[in-house]
Amino acid sequence: MAISSSVVFIFTFLLFLSGYVLQQQTVRSLQAAIKPPPVVVQPPPSPVLAKHFGTPPGHSFFDKYLASNRPKGGWAKVAYVQLVREHLHVCNALMLFAVLEEQESLAQRVIVYPKEWDVKPSDQKVLDPQVETSWRLLRNAAKRYRVMLQPVEPMLKTEAASTFPLAGLLSLTAYNRVIYLPPSGLVLDTSGLDHLFTLPMESDVLGISAGSEDEAILPPVVLLKPSKEAFQTALELLTPSKTYDEDDFLSRIPLVPDMPEDQIHVVTMTSSLKSEGDDFNATKFLDSTSYVHISDPKMLGPEYDASQESVASARPRGLQPKKAWQEVYERYREGRMDVCGLDLEPAPKSAI
């Protein structure tokens, strides 16, 4: 009887032990099945190599160059700076920075504008509509496109537009290089413009020429190398005893012609399309140009609703050049509406 009880006890214990072992194996299998895989921490990508420049065909030259070349001091030391003197041109600056944001340019962004525009609604009963619109656009630039707003006092107490001279941008010594794009223009691809930040400069101010007669006064792209010395030299032209002539200042700066790489243009002008021949291709032009300065002798500017007579007189006659010309103006019109919420301005009565 005692032996039978011992045998039953032993077999019961072995059965319990085998069940326990099987249970633990099942639990471990379930834990392994529901446990998430280990996360592999990847090193952060290089900000230069990760930069996206868009994918228009033919821009591989600038992409490859910028992937291995950085501006002096890095991208935090270079900036696109728009000096906005008129309310009409605030939207143009906003359109520029919208493209820089969309195409992920690493350069800094600054809008310099007259401090007198800093009028709060409480300061006067009725806010000037132009000031109100400009303030709305400036706030959008800061909020949406990470633009630094820099109000400035006039450097000369006169009524001329040159009271906010372009030479004043030489005082922005927080940056090693500044690019200014005179209004009005259309940025198609930022890589070619970003490329200019990496090039050496032997002078404090440099103009990039598009090879057009219409840029005799103001080149479509201006590069500045800010410094205390350069700004001090510019101040000598701003003494009250002299009348500052910005055209004279710009006529003294050296011009560098746009050197296309495999027919890729950094800058061009709409007025130059009139001289294009039968071999011109509108699609290739739009895909291989970084910046188009919109300037035509018979047109007030792309901000205005031009008459049919003005358009017919200004646009090229060739089929492909005309197509490119019309596309540039149409993209600018669409940009004013999409980015700024503004339609074209009516032409002044004096110009009709």
Side-chain angles (χ1 to χ4, degrees):
M1 186 68 178
I3 297 176
S4 301
S5 300
S6 299
V7 171
V8 172
F9 175 78
I10 292 172
F11 276 100
T12 303
F13 175 77
L14 292 176
L15 182 62
F16 169 78
L17 186 62
S18 60
Y20 176 78
V21 172
L22 182 61
Q23 182 191 46
Q24 293 302 309
Q25 291 178 344
T26 303
V27 171
R28 285 194 293 269
S29 299
L30 290 173
Q31 289 177 337
I34 65 176
K35 184 179 180 180
V39 178
V40 180
V41 180
Q42 299 289 347
S46 166
V48 175
L49 295 178
K51 183 182 182 303
H52 170 69
F53 295 100
T55 55
H59 279 208
S60 60
F61 168 77
F62 294 125
D63 289 345
K64 293 178 181 178
Y65 182 87
L66 287 169
S68 56
N69 292 270
R70 300 175 62 202
K72 180 181 178 182
W75 290 101
K77 299 294 288 183
V78 297
Y80 289 95
V81 178
Q82 289 305 101
L83 173 60
V84 180
R85 298 158 166 162
E86 302 177 25
H87 295 289
L88 179 68
H89 296 146
V90 177
C91 180
N92 181 81
L94 206 69
M95 291 167 60
L96 161 66
F97 293 125
V99 178
L100 295 179
E101 178 69 14
E102 179 185 358
Q103 300 189 10
E104 301 180 15
S105 171
L106 295 176
Q108 308 305 299
R109 306 154 197 179
V110 182
I111 291 181
V112 177
Y113 65 95
K115 192 173 183 179
E116 62 186 19
W117 292 2
D118 282 349
V119 179
K120 299 179 181 179
S122 59
D123 293 340
Q124 55 187 38
K125 294 182 180 180
V126 180
L127 194 63
D128 183 272
Q130 286 188 318
V131 175
E132 187 175 11
T133 299
S134 293
W135 251 119
R136 174 179 66 83
L137 297 178
L138 290 172
R139 287 195 299 268
N140 286 344
K143 182 178 180 180
R144 297 181 182 177
Y145 309 125
R146 296 177 291 171
V147 177
M148 186 182 76
L149 304 180
Q150 181 62 58
V152 292
E153 297 281 1
M155 297 181 70
L156 285 176
K157 299 295 183 179
T158 69
E159 296 180 356
S162 59
T163 54
F164 301 96
L166 180 61
L169 299 185
L170 291 169
S171 65
L172 301 177
T173 54
Y175 305 106
N176 295 330
R177 181 79 57 87
V178 162
I179 288 181
Y180 169 68
L181 303 176
S184 297
L186 186 69
V187 177
L188 300 176
D189 184 82
T190 62
S191 60
L193 295 174
D194 283 347
H195 161 257
L196 299 177
F197 286 122
T198 68
L199 301 181
M201 279 183 64
E202 296 183 359
S203 60
D204 297 323
V205 186
L206 186 68
I208 305 298
S209 166
S212 172
E213 296 179 356
D214 296 328
E215 62 180 326
I217 296 179
L218 185 62
V221 178
V222 180
L223 283 75
L224 301 100
K225 186 168 59 174
S227 68
K228 293 181 180 180
E229 295 75 16
F231 181 59
Q232 187 62 39
T233 301
L235 283 179
E236 296 176 1
L237 302 175
L238 302 175
T239 57
S241 60
K242 296 180 180 180
T243 301
Y244 175 75
D245 188 339
E246 186 153 293
D247 293 347
D248 178 66
F249 169 76
L250 291 169
S251 68
R252 300 170 184 269
I253 70 174
L255 287 178
V256 176
D258 174 34
M259 300 296 290
E261 178 72 22
D262 296 331
Q263 301 304 311
I264 301 171
H265 292 271
V266 173
V267 57
T268 189
M269 302 182 73
T270 51
S271 58
S272 65
L273 292 173
K274 269 198 166 185
S275 62
E276 295 295 343
D278 297 335
D279 58 342
F280 181 82
N281 185 294
T283 302
K284 184 176 180 180
F285 167 80
L286 295 170
D287 286 342
S288 60
T289 302
S290 293
Y291 179 68
V292 182
H293 184 68
I294 305 176
S295 175
D296 293 280
K298 304 296 183 179
M299 302 283 284
L300 291 173
E303 297 88 359
Y304 292 101
D305 188 9
S307 64
Q308 294 183 356
E309 293 79 8
S310 298
V311 172
S313 176
R315 69 187 175 193
R317 298 188 181 277
L319 181 61
Q320 286 292 310
K322 180 170 68 174
K323 179 181 178 181
W325 188 91
Q326 291 178 158
E327 180 68 16
V328 169
Y329 272 88
E330 179 61 19
R331 289 191 188 185
Y332 193 92
R333 184 193 68 79
E334 292 176 352
R336 276 180 61 87
M337 179 57 67
D338 295 342
V339 176
C340 306
L342 297 176
D343 205 344
L344 295 179
E345 298 286 338
K349 294 181 178 181
S350 59
I352 300 177

